[in-house]
Amino acid sequence: MYNKLLIRQLQKHFGKLDKVPSSYTAIFQAISESYNHYEKNRNMIERSIDLSSNEMLELNRKLKNEAVEVKKHTDNLRKINKELDQFSYVVSHDLKAPLRAIANLSEWIKEDLGDNLSEENKKNLDLLQSRVTRMQSLITGILEYSKIGRKQVASELVNVNDLLREILDFLSASPKFSTTIPPDLPTLKTQKVLLQQVFSNLVSNAIKYNDKEKGQIDIFYTEKEDCYEFSIADNGPGIAPEHHDKVFDIFQTLEAKHKVESTGIGLSIVKKIIEEQGGIIRIDSTKGSGAKFIFTWPKVSK
Amino acid sequence: MTEKLTTILLIEDDEVDIMTVQRAFGKNKITNPFYVARNGVEALQMLRGENQAKIIPQVILLDINMPKMGGLEFLENLRADEQLKSISVFVLTTSAQESDKMSAFNLNVAGYILKPLSFDSFLEAVAVLKNYWKLCERL
């Protein structure tokens, strides 16, 4: 039997099927075959179109759901950011106020008692005040850390040579230290305060932890294709490789906190700033042979 | 020369911060008439003489964060009051927040002093304040 579509066409043409000349049977048989074939293909294609349009609908629905999710997340992030702002404010105000009170009250006790204060009491009061000062630096540090990346600072042209000289003059006032700066330092367009914070922290660490009679701080610089690479090398006690990651963690110090006055925030600020810019920082050091902090500063910041 | 001593009103809720100001005044040998209000509401009552003798200070030292009525809200009320709007106000606060500073200067304050951690730094700040009203007393 012929294909239904072909039968209809033949009926239209010949009136009745039996009027079709028998000499054509073989040809129509072949045509019918190809009609069948065609129909089969068409059905298949239609089915797959149906299927894919269903899939499309499904995908569309998923996308819409995801858009809702994304919006929810964004709103949530916004809320968290606002809370963080609020938190910084609470930290800066509400924590500093009682701290100031403690600082003042202890000073007045010391002042009012004057000579009546025993040596031991005086020492304890001094200790108390130095801990208050540390707490103050901790609060300031936390605030600084939380501010990175949230406050947009305008870029300006920064002459790295001038910047480094300023920092070194300011920090290494003691004649114990000699420093070298490479002659070919670049002038770059960047957020000055951030680069300054990075250099200041690294240089002041190099000074603070130095244990040699003659301290040495050397700055190195190479220009790479898409970034500048700076290194700050010192001849201090060095850092054992197993501590290289740890020193960047917040509140992490290698020495007991009272031995060298530090909060453990400096290097985490440095790392956060550099990573916000799209650069990286690493340490080249072994225990006992000085430390070299190497960081990249992209030519175009993130 | 007869100097008329400047009357000073401190608006501050923290006990120790009040003591800090008093102590710093003592150290700087400041003997001006000195009053304390614990918040903005109390201060406005004093300035308007509600249920008490009216106090007319030439200088107000004002904290920002206080219960009932904070410093900025107090300033708004002060500047809106014909009788009181010309009083010199120095903000004395821990809030380094830019928005607080801007709001304060928009309300025409004479100075914005951040409460320092150390008492010595506060003494210096008070010495500067003293110079300011000494100058006003001579005018």
Side-chain angles (χ1 to χ4, degrees):
Chain A
M1 203 57 208
Y2 295 144
N3 173 282
K4 268 188 208 150
L5 192 63
L6 184 62
I7 293 173
R8 231 180 298 140
Q9 283 172 331
L10 289 174
Q11 281 171 336
K12 214 167 147 194
H13 198 80
F14 294 97
K16 269 185 157 179
L17 263 190
D18 28 346
K19 287 198 176 154
V20 177
S22 55
S23 52
Y24 290 154
T25 312
I27 293 177
F28 284 129
Q29 199 63 51
I31 293 176
S32 173
E33 281 296 305
S34 42
Y35 263 60
N36 281 339
H37 202 70
Y38 156 79
E39 263 184 4
K40 215 170 93 195
N41 276 342
R42 202 186 59 181
N43 284 342
M44 233 163 71
I45 291 171
E46 273 175 359
R47 255 207 315 279
S48 71
I49 288 176
D50 256 6
L51 211 74
S52 56
S53 73
N54 271 341
E55 260 167 41
M56 291 274 265
L57 278 176
E58 174 68 7
L59 269 179
N60 215 354
R61 199 183 55 79
K62 271 192 189 157
L63 262 177
K64 265 188 200 145
N65 280 349
E66 261 163 52
V68 171
E69 277 298 299
V70 167
K71 197 183 170 302
K72 238 179 13 202
H73 279 298
T74 322
D75 288 349
N76 203 20
L77 272 179
R78 238 179 239 134
K79 207 180 109 218
I80 290 172
N81 226 351
K82 221 175 132 194
E83 276 172 2
L84 201 65
D85 265 332
Q86 188 59 30
F87 175 74
S88 312
Y89 186 74
V90 169
V91 167
S92 74
H93 181 266
D94 291 7
L95 289 189
K96 271 185 190 169
L99 200 61
R100 202 182 46 252
I102 296 170
N104 285 343
L105 289 168
S106 64
E107 194 171 329
W108 299 337
I109 293 174
K110 210 161 98 180
E111 202 176 270
D112 292 347
L113 288 178
D115 294 338
N116 293 328
L117 205 58
S118 77
E119 267 312 302
E120 197 192 341
N121 291 157
K122 196 178 161 308
K123 203 181 120 221
N124 287 347
L125 277 173
D126 285 344
L127 275 174
L128 189 144
Q129 283 178 332
S130 85
R131 294 306 181 269
V132 167
T133 313
R134 185 191 301 161
M135 178 116 177
Q136 163 88 351
S137 346
L138 274 169
I139 294 173
T140 315
I142 292 171
L143 271 178
E144 244 176 76
Y145 185 83
S146 74
K147 259 192 241 155
I148 301 167
R150 282 195 299 125
K151 209 172 170 186
Q152 279 306 315
V153 198
S155 289
E156 56 187 298
L157 275 182
V158 181
N159 181 325
V160 180
N161 185 56
D162 292 351
L163 181 70
L164 266 171
R165 277 191 197 286
E166 258 173 52
I167 292 170
L168 287 170
D169 279 352
F170 183 69
L171 292 174
S172 60
S174 135
K176 183 189 143 180
F177 282 94
S178 46
T179 53
T180 64
I181 296 183
D184 55 344
L185 284 167
T187 293
L188 45 106
K189 195 166 163 57
T190 193
Q191 295 163 321
K192 188 178 176 182
V193 240
L194 298 181
L195 189 59
Q196 187 176 30
Q197 254 180 312
V198 169
F199 276 125
S200 305
N201 271 298
L202 292 176
V203 171
S204 75
N205 276 352
I207 293 170
K208 192 157 71 179
Y209 295 103
N210 201 289
D211 55 351
K212 304 290 183 309
E213 207 162 298
K214 275 254 146 243
Q216 178 74 33
I217 297 168
D218 300 305
I219 316 278
F220 300 97
Y221 158 71
T222 37
E223 185 173 350
K224 300 261 162 112
E225 198 186 320
D226 53 358
C227 66
Y228 306 97
E229 187 182 274
F230 301 97
S231 318
I232 289 102
D234 64 58
N235 64 341
I239 301 163
E242 64 264 32
H243 293 139
H244 283 189
D245 286 335
K246 221 183 216 175
V247 293
F248 292 110
D249 290 348
I250 196 160
F251 301 132
Q252 192 73 54
T253 55
L254 295 180
E255 296 276 1
K257 288 203 165 88
H258 59 265
K259 214 161 151 197
V260 179
E261 197 50 56
S262 68
T263 56
I265 298 179
L267 279 180
S268 56
I269 287 181
V270 166
K271 187 169 191 236
K272 198 173 171 196
I273 291 177
I274 290 170
E275 287 178 354
E276 288 274 331
Q277 293 290 314
I280 46 164
I281 182 160
R282 62 190 171 87
I283 304 173
D284 185 3
S285 172
T286 50
K287 187 130 188 77
S289 63
K292 191 177 188 182
F293 284 82
I294 303 141
F295 72 92
T296 60
W297 196 263
K299 290 181 177 171
V300 183
S301 65
K302 247 205 273 189
Chain B
M1 189 164 70
T2 53
E3 283 183 8
K4 193 178 171 296
L5 281 177
T6 305
T7 301
I8 297 154
L9 171 63
L10 170 67
I11 311 174
E12 167 70 74
D13 62 318
D14 188 299
E15 179 81 39
V16 182
D17 282 345
I18 295 171
M19 284 166 67
T20 308
V21 174
Q22 285 169 331
R23 199 144 171 138
F25 276 20
K27 283 234 168 184
N28 275 295
K29 306 216 164 25
I30 295 167
T31 50
N32 298 51
F34 179 70
Y35 299 89
V36 180
R38 299 302 184 112
N39 58 58
V41 178
E42 220 181 284
L44 283 177
Q45 284 172 349
M46 282 171 111
L47 294 168
R48 288 170 180 157
E50 289 165 17
N51 312 323
Q52 60 197 300
K54 201 169 176 169
I55 286 150
I56 307 159
Q58 285 76 48
V59 171
I60 290 177
L61 305 178
L62 178 67
D63 186 23
I64 297 269
N65 294 278
M66 287 180 296
K68 284 187 194 159
M69 186 194 282
L72 293 175
E73 198 189 337
F74 167 81
L75 260 176
E76 276 167 25
N77 280 292
L78 190 81
R79 294 307 182 217
D81 188 316
E82 279 305 316
Q83 306 291 310
L84 306 172
K85 67 178 184 187
S86 60
I87 302 175
S88 299
V89 177
F90 289 85
V91 172
L92 192 58
T93 180
T94 11
S95 171
Q97 201 156 273
E98 219 37 55
S99 60
D100 279 349
K101 219 182 274 187
M102 292 307 290
S103 317
F105 277 109
N106 282 335
L107 287 162
N108 203 9
V109 294
Y112 195 94
I113 302 164
L114 277 182
K115 290 176 188 166
L117 183 68
S118 90
F119 187 60
D120 282 342
S121 318
F122 187 68
L123 281 180
E124 283 167 30
V126 168
V128 174
L129 274 177
K130 184 182 171 186
N131 286 338
Y132 172 84
W133 63 65
K134 282 277 166 232
L135 201 70
C136 296
E137 281 163 7
R138 251 178 255 131
L139 289 178

